[in-house]
Amino acid sequence: RNHPPPLDNSLMSLSAMLEEHAARLQLPPTPAGGRGFSDSLALQAALDLVDASGDETLSLVVRQQASKAMQLATYFCTGTLEEEQWRHYALAMDRYTHFTSPIR
């Protein structure tokens, strides 16, 4: 199963929202010089800082915006995609195997 990175336009919207609250949330700068996140681990850290702020409304809005930005994970056969496409963004893993038992 793979999970592509979030949509750029949705990330820009989320990043702008985080930028408005960056000083209060003490968000660290990204390598690109902005604030918010540079990968899924940094995104999670930013979400944790929003939660730690104690502003429940902001936390809910930011998490909803982050969820909207995500693309759906898909199942694939390893022979059908290049290895670079095997990455699971949400889990921050290069490879992720998902197995469901046929006996439920």
Side-chain angles (χ1 to χ4, degrees):
R1 201 166 115 150
N2 74 335
H3 188 236
L7 302 169
D8 285 341
N9 58 345
S10 295
L11 278 183
M12 289 180 3
S13 175
L14 177 59
S15 184
M17 183 184 303
L18 290 174
E19 185 69 33
E20 290 178 30
H21 301 278
R24 185 167 57 91
L25 298 173
Q26 299 178 1
L27 293 175
T30 64
R35 293 194 190 274
F37 43 88
S38 55
D39 60 24
S40 59
L41 295 176
L43 173 58
Q44 182 59 52
L47 294 175
D48 290 344
L49 285 172
V50 172
D51 286 345
S53 75
D55 187 335
E56 291 181 20
T57 302
L58 177 63
S59 180
L60 178 63
V61 170
V62 167
R63 286 190 175 274
Q64 286 175 340
Q65 190 72 27
S67 294
K68 282 183 180 182
M70 297 298 153
Q71 296 190 62
L72 295 176
T74 58
Y75 290 94
F76 70 98
C77 179
T78 56
T80 62
L81 292 178
E82 297 294 325
E83 277 192 56
E84 300 84 43
Q85 296 176 306
W86 294 4
R87 183 159 176 72
H88 197 292
Y89 178 86
L91 298 178
M93 299 178 79
D94 289 334
R95 290 175 175 78
Y96 172 73
T97 302
H98 179 81
F99 175 77
T100 302
S101 172
I103 302 170
R104 287 189 177 222

